[in-house]
Amino acid sequence: MHRNVSKYALIFLFLAASGLVFLLRNIHTVENWNCHTISALYQLQSKIQSSIIPVNLPTFYHNRTFCAHLGQKPSPEDELEERYLLDSVSWPGPPSTFTALRQTSDPVHSLFAILPTKGGKEWHVGDQLEVLVQMHDFQGRPKHYGGDFLLARLHSPELGAGVAGTVLDHKNGFYSALFPLLWVGSARVEITLVHSSEAVAVLRRLREERPDRVFFKSLFRLGFLSETTVCNMCLPPDQQPLCNYTDLYTGEPWYCYKPKMLSCDNRVNHAKGGYLKHLITNKEVLLFQSGVNIKVHIPALGLDRINVLPARKVEVESSSRKPESINLEPSGYYYEDTWRPLSGVTRRQFNSSSAVTRCLKNKLIYMYGDSTIRQWFEYLTAFVPELKEFNLHSPKNVGPFMAVDSTHNILLKYRCHGPPIRFTTVTSSELRYISNELDGLPGGPNTVVALSIWAHFSTFPVEVYIRRLRHIRQALVRLLDRAPGTFIVIRSANLQALDQEVSLYNSDWYSLQLDKVLRAMFKGMNVLLVDAWQMSLAHHLPHALHPPPPIIKNMIDMFLSYICPEKKKSQL
Ligand SMILES: *[C@@H]1O[C@H](CO)[C@@H](O)[C@H](O)[C@H]1NC(C)=O
Ligand SMILES: *[C@@H]1O[C@H](CO)[C@@H](O)[C@H](O)[C@H]1NC(C)=O
Ligand SMILES: *[C@@H]1O[C@H](CO)[C@@H](O)[C@H](O)[C@H]1NC(C)=O
């Protein structure tokens, strides 16, 4: 009874407000469309907790710039780009710090509605579907400010179809989700609250003020002596002597506390140290509850699905060609569980190991990055029996790894990116920056480079990520200049399973921010972006840091389609 009454009240408010939003909508243009992409990663390999690590970790300067600008000073152009990039990922925050959970966004009290088309209630392929979302708090009162992190998906389980939606924040408690209609048949809307705006504010504060919440360690050894100290991208310089491992070529900063007895030259390895806990207040903890306000679906007011009719005859021409875009408009969609890109490469399917071998014949493939590109290495070596892994005696999950098919002259290598990397023990001699590795490649049309850099950067201010990508981009430009025809593929971030703990270090919100930066920084370059973000968002399988095989297969097919495009009909 009570529930019914409040529901009617909600409907009334909702309808009243939707008129307003209708007006707003027509004023809104594409400029705010970049609210939607994500990424994050989390190394679970290291279960080693740090009994060796000194308990009294250094206190950090709780201000924004300490960590970010510890490296080289950026040039004026770089600074300008940085400002632009930071601007492009700005995120509205709540007007004040929250005081009680009941005033924060509650997915169960919130709702969405499918808006009718201009011509009534008929949707055709090529149309755009618009959904209006209204957020409410735990007391059922409408929210009046934006900043909630929402995901939108349109899907059809029967057809194996799915596409990511673009979410617009009207900054008044209302959001629009826009979807292109790409298939005939049923299509169901799914809107998910990933984090409330109040939770996002906590994540942002942690990122700016506590980049030390993930720490690293190194072992120093000489003869029988060994010591372990804490390492990070930035350590307070005035508390203990430091070892400065700043990279001479790139200027990427890295420091460890100097061991008491041994010298800085005695560093033998690098590893994840651990995670600082209890960094948020008891009240803030309530903003991160699985099943309550982390990745919970928002219910529909009325129907959550539509039936899509075939394209209108007249409009087929104009709607099928989309401008190429690296922003968050859909870059592709699933149909029959197969990813169909909307622009760029024409997707081919590589269903057999012989098809993969034909494509990779005579190729040198270098994969650099985190474990999400290592998954590609693992997929290829498992799928193609002739591509035999060569035993380099590398630690499990860490690498470097190498696989060879000497019959077809294929070489495949994987190496992790430089620090910060939360892997288990990486030998100091194998701790390399991607840009330096790229500078060592001759390149050419037989060379393929595949990169993924995101998950290990989420605990640092965005400037750190920008600086890293800038160095990699400079190295890629040099590589393409000296060896045009080198294939470059960049794998974007993907969504992952979130609970409270993972959220604080590796939330999809952090990944989204990094992913937007990544797309902007490689836009216009001759590289293929494999949109792991949308491929994980549009798919029906649950989000996972390491996406399951069907999604990897789709990524690999995109990767190979780029290297081995379909031959033109005339050549057949
Ligand atoms: C950050 O904090 C440190 C230590 O309090 C201070 O020396 C430094 O000037 C501060 N930087 C900025 C930009 O406020
Ligand atoms: C570490 O070394 C780099 C490169 O030599 C230098 O620019 C930087 O100032 C050093 N850092 C500290 C804290 O001394
Ligand atoms: C690859 O497999 C899929 C699914 O089994 C099938 O639909 C498709 O036609 C196959 N493609 C090729 C080129 O064999």
Side-chain angles (χ1 to χ4, degrees), residues 414-454:
Y414 164 79
R415 171 181 289 285
C416 70
H417 65 65
I421 184 117
R422 292 176 222 148
F423 276 10
T424 51
T425 321
V426 184
T427 315
S428 301
S429 60
E430 300 285 13
L431 205 57
R432 320 249 183 100
Y433 289 94
I434 292 177
S435 46
N436 295 341
E437 292 295 301
L438 293 173
D439 281 341
L441 293 183
N446 290 321
T447 300
V448 181
V449 171
L451 306 174
S452 96
I453 318 109
W454 56 283

Side-chain angles (χ1 to χ4, degrees), residues 10-310:
L10 284 177
I11 292 171
F12 179 77
L13 273 171
F14 190 82
L15 291 178
S18 46
L20 176 68
V21 170
F22 243 98
L23 282 175
L24 273 176
R25 184 184 82 189
N26 295 322
I27 306 163
H28 264 273
T29 50
V30 213
E31 64 176 33
N32 281 337
W33 279 46
N34 39 357
C35 296
H36 249 261
T37 320
I38 310 179
S39 69
L41 175 155
Y42 197 172
Q43 288 309 322
L44 295 173
Q45 292 103 322
S46 168
K47 292 281 175 221
I48 302 181
Q49 257 314 338
S50 39
S51 47
I52 358 151
I53 294 292
V55 197
N56 51 337
L57 280 161
T59 47
F60 252 76
Y61 294 133
H62 289 188
N63 61 26
R64 305 176 132 251
T65 51
F66 172 69
C67 198
H69 293 127
L70 205 67
Q72 286 165 330
K73 208 175 145 36
S75 71
E77 302 88 76
D78 290 347
E79 226 161 340
L80 204 64
E81 184 192 33
E82 181 176 289
R83 218 170 316 140
Y84 161 80
L85 289 167
L86 292 176
D87 245 26
S88 71
V89 297
S90 70
W91 191 277
S96 54
T97 52
F98 90 106
T99 47
L101 179 70
R102 61 177 191 278
Q103 289 161 5
T104 68
S105 306
D106 174 14
V108 174
H109 277 98
S110 302
L111 31 89
F112 75 81
I114 293 173
L115 299 183
T117 50
K118 289 191 183 78
K121 281 223 161 186
E122 230 177 59
W123 285 273
H124 294 263
V125 167
D127 289 351
Q128 176 173 267
L129 175 67
E130 179 162 1
V131 164
L132 188 65
V133 185
Q134 190 187 21
M135 298 305 297
H136 291 87
D137 65 18
F138 281 86
Q139 292 175 301
R141 291 186 305 211
K143 301 283 301 269
H144 295 295
Y145 52 89
D148 296 299
F149 175 19
L150 304 177
L151 291 177
R153 181 166 89 103
L154 186 70
H155 66 122
S156 170
E158 316 82 67
L159 301 170
V163 66
T166 306
V167 176
L168 301 178
D169 184 349
H170 298 292
K171 302 189 178 149
N172 55 4
F174 285 92
Y175 298 78
S176 296
L178 308 173
F179 304 93
L181 297 179
L182 298 161
W183 63 84
V184 174
S186 84
R188 185 171 172 182
V189 175
E190 183 185 275
I191 307 287
T192 307
L193 175 77
V194 183
H195 295 301
S196 64
S197 55
E198 294 82 8
V200 171
V202 171
L203 295 178
R204 176 164 36 201
R205 191 192 72 223
L206 286 176
R207 186 183 64 188
E208 304 309 331
E209 297 181 357
R210 299 309 303 259
D212 56 334
R213 68 195 187 283
V214 170
F215 59 93
F216 304 86
K217 63 185 179 182
S218 271
L219 173 70
F220 296 78
R221 195 176 56 215
L222 182 67
F224 297 113
L225 273 183
S226 67
E227 290 178 66
T228 299
T229 71
V230 167
C231 308
N232 219 323
M233 181 152 309
C234 37
L235 293 172
D238 55 354
Q239 301 192 352
Q240 291 173 48
L242 298 178
C243 291
N244 184 349
Y245 297 112
T246 299
D247 183 62
L248 291 178
Y249 301 101
T250 56
E252 287 284 349
W254 194 256
Y255 296 90
C256 296
Y257 283 112
K258 192 181 173 307
K260 296 251 163 1
M261 290 166 292
L262 295 172
S263 114
C264 296
D265 294 340
N266 299 132
R267 181 176 68 151
V268 296
N269 69 33
H270 163 93
K272 182 173 90 177
Y275 298 88
L276 299 185
K277 305 258 154 93
H278 313 299
L279 296 177
I280 60 175
T281 65
N282 289 343
K283 233 191 270 172
E284 287 168 341
V285 163
L286 301 175
L287 298 172
F288 298 93
Q289 300 180 67
S290 295
V292 176
N293 49 15
I294 298 177
K295 283 202 183 172
V296 174
H297 294 331
I298 290 174
L301 178 65
L303 284 181
D304 66 351
R305 69 193 74 196
I306 60 168
N307 187 44
V308 185
L309 303 169

